[in-house]
Amino acid sequence: MIVTALAIPGIINRTRALLAGRKGIPFVQHLRNVRVLLQKGAVYSTTTTALFKIAPTIYLGAAIVATLMIPVADLYPLISFEGDVICFAYTLALARVALILAAMDTGSSFEGMGAAREALYGALIEPALMIGFATLALFCGYTSFADIFEYEQSFDLHLTIVMLLTAFLFVKITFVESGRLPVDDPRTHLELTMIHEVMCLDYSGIDMGMIQIAGWLKTACFSMIAANAVAATGCFHWWFAVPLAILLTGVSVGVVESSQARNKLSRNTTFIVTISALAALIFFIGYLLKLNINI
Amino acid sequence: MFYISLLVVLTLIVAAIFLSPLRWKMWVAFAATSLFATAAAIPAISILAGGEELSLLPIVSPFFGAESLHMDSLSALFVLIIGIAGIATLLYSRGYLEHYLDKKSSAHLSLHYTALVVLVISMVLVVLSSGGFSFLFAWELMTIASFLLILFDAERQQVLRAALAYLIMMHIGFVLLVAGFAGIFSISGTGNFADLAACFSCGRTLPIFILFLLGFGMKAGLFPMHVWLPEAHPAAPSHVSAIMSGVMIKTGVYGVMRTLWYVVDSHELHTIGLIILLVGIVTGLWGVILAALQNDAKRLLAYSSIENIGVIFIGLGVSALAQAAGNNAVATVALCGVLLHTINHSFFKSLLFFGAGNIYSKMHTTLLDNFGGVAKHMPVTAILFFIATIAICALPPLNGFVGEFLIYLGMLNSIREGVNTIYAAGGLLALALIGGVVVLAFTKLYSTIFLGAPRHHHVAESTEVDNLRIAAMGIPATCIILIGLFPQLAIGVVSRVVAQFHPSAAVVIEEYISPTMWKISLTAWLLIIVVALLYALKRRAHSKRDIKQGPTWGCGFTSPNIRMQYTGESFSEGLESIATSLTQNTVEGRALSKSEVFPSTHGYRVRHKDKIDRLFAAWWMELLHIINKRIMSLRTGKINHYILFALLFLVAIFILSLFNLI
């Protein structure tokens, strides 16, 4: 899991560089950046309260706990119980709330902008996430990640279809949740158009490092879910799922970021609601297949 | 006998409150409430711990036959909620009303306190009464008491209107309930809830159930009967909003649960479950979207109460559908969730209203855009409000999460077992969206009030409230944290109630819910430990490094000012652009036009009014106007006309009796 979390940003950068024909930054550049951040002091705004200082720890803490719930193919997760899919979604929501409140705490209009957008997009992506989990529960008959993905490893056409579709859905959700193109552009130079990055403008040093690490963990969680879904259709082993998770998200994000422009902000809502609609559609397909109705 | 003793008790309380000196009135009322609440809570606790059900006293009523006060585990649970909220409210009221002591007359305050005590007593009677006349009596007493409580600031035009609207709507609901009980009476000869079983078994389930659903839904604030809530809560004093929103609207939920109990036929239960689920979805979504758009703290909280009632009904619907399909495990899980959410909501909603009261008593406004940075001046309020915010967003590790988790789990289990899959998926979709928008609504509420820089000079002059109020807020806050960290205990409390609904529930709770709750509890602890550890590490690292303070980074903009902060309105602007068809906006002032090169001072305020509200008001008013006009045309003022009417009446009676119609 940690390997996945650490490797994805590197892969994204390599893919982008490759597609753009550049030499690109070294693979471990993001790790170096964070190491520098963790060794620095900090500057706090005078407007802020204690909440601002606690928020990054809540953000990272929640991301860590959420990560502990995700199995890596046949490796059992540390926390696993009936319904942990719900716990996972809400733990990440806690992380989001912490960051939104921290952004509003600075009293900056730019950070308020980011917070408002994050709150809205977070609200709209929630149904997609839940219906995605519901599809898995419907097809596998379990409500815990570990059981869902261990359900069946024999080849079954229906299962394969649903699992691949679900994997596709979770890759899409990853785009939104980790603030990537086409929803958000982490590399923009203009604060007015940012979402996720603009919320952490006032953070520095260790706090900023924590936020970055938590962001990687979040991305890793979602891509691991997608990879598990793919792996469950055939080769269900950790040595298959880990590289798959890294490549799946890393390459797809890299390709999308190199080939697409960022959405206009007003188009983002449509984009996210479309993901929810897609999730509902996948659920429905899963339902029909489950009832053995062939379409 | 019952009515006489009730009258004596009430007279004694009224006398004691009216006769005691101004500053002691609250303590007299407090003593009366806590005595009563403790007396009621002791048997309630023993019942929930597994004791025998309690028949308190038989009542002879003029209508609807024999009744009694009877406490089973469902009543016991509600008695507990009412008792806790009642005590917290009374404690809180002293500090809040301090400010009014020299403004209002002594009689006015006495009336207020009496109404508070009567409200608590009547709510307990509502949940204890076995039905019929005594139930309706207590129900009406509750309405009148809460009406008087809303009316506290009667000098304000807005309060008067809200209170009247409340009174009218409650009486429409009351008529529906009377009709419901009359329906039972006409079939079985007595008007008790228990007779509903006979009533439902002879095939008239749906009409009678819908009568009750409408009657109770009026109190609970089901869509589209919710319009009184967002008017009444901003008008009422905060502690009154707290008890009304936290507990009183739950008597509606209690009523629906009580009626649902007696539906046995699985086909009808399926229809009813579907109705409840749909109503819940619409109520929840409507409530939460409107909540996110509001710019007034108390109005936002009122809409969020509507949303929570929606969540409760979604869970109830899922439970009923599962029971109809014979799936006891799912029904049990969902019902546990519903009951827990009912308890939880009473805690965090009263805490939120208390918090809003603190701010109002210091700054005399509840408009979000007048605040900002309050956390620096009222730190304890800010922390307590933060706890309630996290809880109401249903985030771990607090109690809101536990209740919603079980409702979600019920739906997921329903989906995976392939029963009512599509309905459960619909509920899941709605609940997930509700969960997401709640986060938007409450981050908006919390951040515009407590965080950022002050937008108004009132904020800088405010100070923390008195300790008594903090103590009163501590009661629900403690419960929130306890349930959040030890959900297995809370499950123990509701397990008896669920066992009363489903005979096989004990096994499900024992084997399925309890272990899951243990895991939830462990996860919650883990989360707290990880966060604490990270924070400690950070503190240690920071202790050796250079930590600076500076102004907020302005992104290169040289003269940012406080007015440029994000306001509540701008925070929810994105949602508003999607949900614009749900509201009717009234705009005060004028927005800046593009042609203004040197803008002058502008005042601009938007209020997002509920479209349903308009529809209701306009529709009723029109109808009443027309009817009134017709009737007024009969009132000619001439004696000979009136004699003619009397004659026509006699003739009508004669003809009707001739055909044996009366």
Side-chain angles (χ1 to χ4, degrees), chain A residues 38 44-46 53 90 207, chain B residues 376 408 538 545 548 550 552:
Chain A
L38 288 178
Y44 289 111
S45 160
T46 43
K53 291 179 188 165
Y90 273 79
D207 295 320
Chain B
K376 286 209 163 138
Y408 269 120
K538 188 179 111 175
R545 292 187 197 158
K548 281 182 247 162
T552 298

Side-chain angles (χ1 to χ4, degrees), chain A residues 52 98-108 111-112 114-115 198-200 203:
Chain A
F52 186 76
L99 207 58
I100 291 174
L101 289 181
M104 289 300 282
D105 200 7
T106 59
S108 147
E111 289 179 48
V198 78
M199 289 168 71
C200 345
Y203 277 118

Side-chain angles (χ1 to χ4, degrees), chain B residues 342-519:
Chain B
T342 311
I343 304 174
N344 291 340
H345 179 247
S346 82
F347 293 141
F348 49 65
K349 193 43 69 68
S350 33
L351 185 53
L352 285 167
F353 269 116
F354 289 152
N358 285 357
I359 302 158
Y360 179 77
S361 67
K362 293 291 172 188
M363 281 157 257
H364 309 290
T365 175
T366 49
L367 287 178
L368 287 183
D369 294 345
N370 289 341
F371 299 114
V374 178
K376 286 209 163 138
H377 303 276
M378 304 169 86
V380 186
T381 308
I383 291 171
L384 290 170
F385 208 91
F386 181 69
I387 292 175
T389 304
I390 296 292
I392 201 168
C393 291
L395 299 174
L398 294 179
N399 69 348
F401 174 66
V402 184
E404 283 200 19
F405 173 83
L406 283 174
I407 298 180
Y408 269 120
L409 195 59
M411 292 196 273
L412 277 182
N413 280 343
S414 187
I415 289 173
R416 72 166 190 180
E417 281 162 27
V419 273
N420 302 318
T421 309
I422 294 294
Y423 303 138
L428 190 78
L429 201 63
L431 195 56
L433 190 57
I434 291 172
V437 184
V438 161
V439 166
L440 178 98
F442 278 87
T443 46
K444 162 179 167 173
L445 179 70
Y446 192 79
S447 56
T448 39
I449 293 182
F450 288 99
L451 306 177
R455 298 184 182 81
H456 203 278
H457 62 89
H458 281 320
V459 175
E461 295 153 14
S462 62
T463 46
E464 189 54 82
V465 294
D466 55 315
N467 289 335
L468 198 60
R469 265 191 271 183
I470 299 293
M473 291 167 79
I475 298 174
T478 319
C479 297
I480 289 174
I481 295 173
L482 273 183
I483 298 182
L485 294 182
F486 305 102
Q488 57 276 35
L489 299 182
I491 285 294
V493 173
V494 299
S495 62
R496 282 275 298 179
V497 189
V498 184
Q500 200 177 341
F501 271 85
H502 306 296
S504 63
V507 187
V508 180
I509 291 176
E510 185 83 10
E511 288 175 0
Y512 184 74
I513 300 180
S514 287
T516 312
M517 284 295 125
W518 271 104
K519 291 280 179 58

Side-chain angles (χ1 to χ4, degrees), chain A residues 141-159:
Chain A
Y142 294 102
T143 54
S144 141
F145 283 122
D147 298 333
I148 285 175
F149 293 122
E150 268 188 12
Y151 159 65
E152 200 176 348
Q153 289 146 43
S154 62
F155 185 79
D156 171 12
L157 182 65
H158 288 177
L159 181 79

